Structure formats: C-alpha cells, structure tokens
Amino acid sequence: MAPVKKHGRRRASVSASELAQMGVCERLVVFEHRYGKRRTVEQQQAIKRGRRAHARFYREGHMDWTRWWRYFIVFLIFGRWLTLCVAKWFQVRKPHHET
C-alpha cells in the first residue's frame, strides 16, 4: 500500500493483491508502508507478465469495440441506401394485373 502523502491524499486505487494481503497479514502491510516493498526477482517478473497480459486484454477489447463500431456505421449507411433502393424499386414497379 502506498504511504499517505503530506497532504493526506492517497493513491487512487488499490490492487486486488494488496486488498487480499491486507486481509491476511496486517503486520506485513505496516512493514511495507514503513520500509517499502522488497520483491524477489521472480515476483518482479510475474508482475511484469501480469501487466503485459492486462495490457494485451485491454488492447484486444478496445480493438474489438472499434471494429464493431466501424461495422455498425457501414451497416447504417449501406442499410439506408439499400432501403431507399428497394423503396424506389417498388414505386417504379407496377403490378402486372392492372390493365
């Protein structure tokens, strides 16, 4: 957990790992607050992997949204054009049984 700053402001968010840690070992939270976190090389590598995975997940989700949005716009434009063409065709077309 990040230390409290002089102006009483804290970090905007707390990770799920930090919340779980707070529930398990309050003494460790106090220790890390006073002296900072001391992570092993393996922990640092795991954190980097996790951050990359989260970033990839975010990018993929964002790309899917922008792709969907483009398809939606194309559908709106093409759908209106197609509807106008069909309506025009029905207006111009006369029934065969009228004489």
Side-chain angles (χ1 to χ4, degrees):
M1 189 163 105
V4 177
K5 295 181 181 178
K6 289 183 181 179
H7 300 292
R9 293 188 205 135
R10 294 181 184 216
R11 247 185 5 193
S13 64
V14 177
S15 73
S17 299
E18 288 174 325
L19 285 175
Q21 182 183 13
M22 287 177 205
V24 173
C25 185
E26 303 86 15
R27 292 176 71 189
L28 181 59
V29 173
V30 172
F31 178 84
E32 288 181 347
H33 176 75
R34 289 183 183 157
Y35 305 108
K37 293 185 181 186
R38 298 180 182 178
R39 295 186 175 120
T40 65
V41 174
E42 292 83 12
Q43 289 172 324
Q44 292 172 3
Q45 290 171 347
I47 290 169
K48 287 179 184 177
R49 281 194 312 272
R51 287 183 178 157
R52 283 194 303 262
H54 281 278
R56 184 175 58 247
F57 177 75
Y58 174 78
R59 280 193 312 271
E60 288 171 0
H62 185 68
M63 285 190 307
D64 288 342
W65 169 252
T66 56
R67 188 177 301 133
W68 178 87
W69 184 250
R70 280 189 236 139
Y71 291 145
F72 180 70
I73 296 297
V74 168
F75 173 75
L76 284 178
I77 293 169
F78 182 71
R80 286 180 185 171
W81 176 80
L82 183 62
T83 304
L84 289 173
C85 290
V86 169
K88 257 312 194 207
W89 182 75
F90 277 115
Q91 275 182 341
V92 172
R93 186 174 172 261
K94 294 182 182 178
H96 295 290
H97 63 277
E98 286 186 17
T99 48

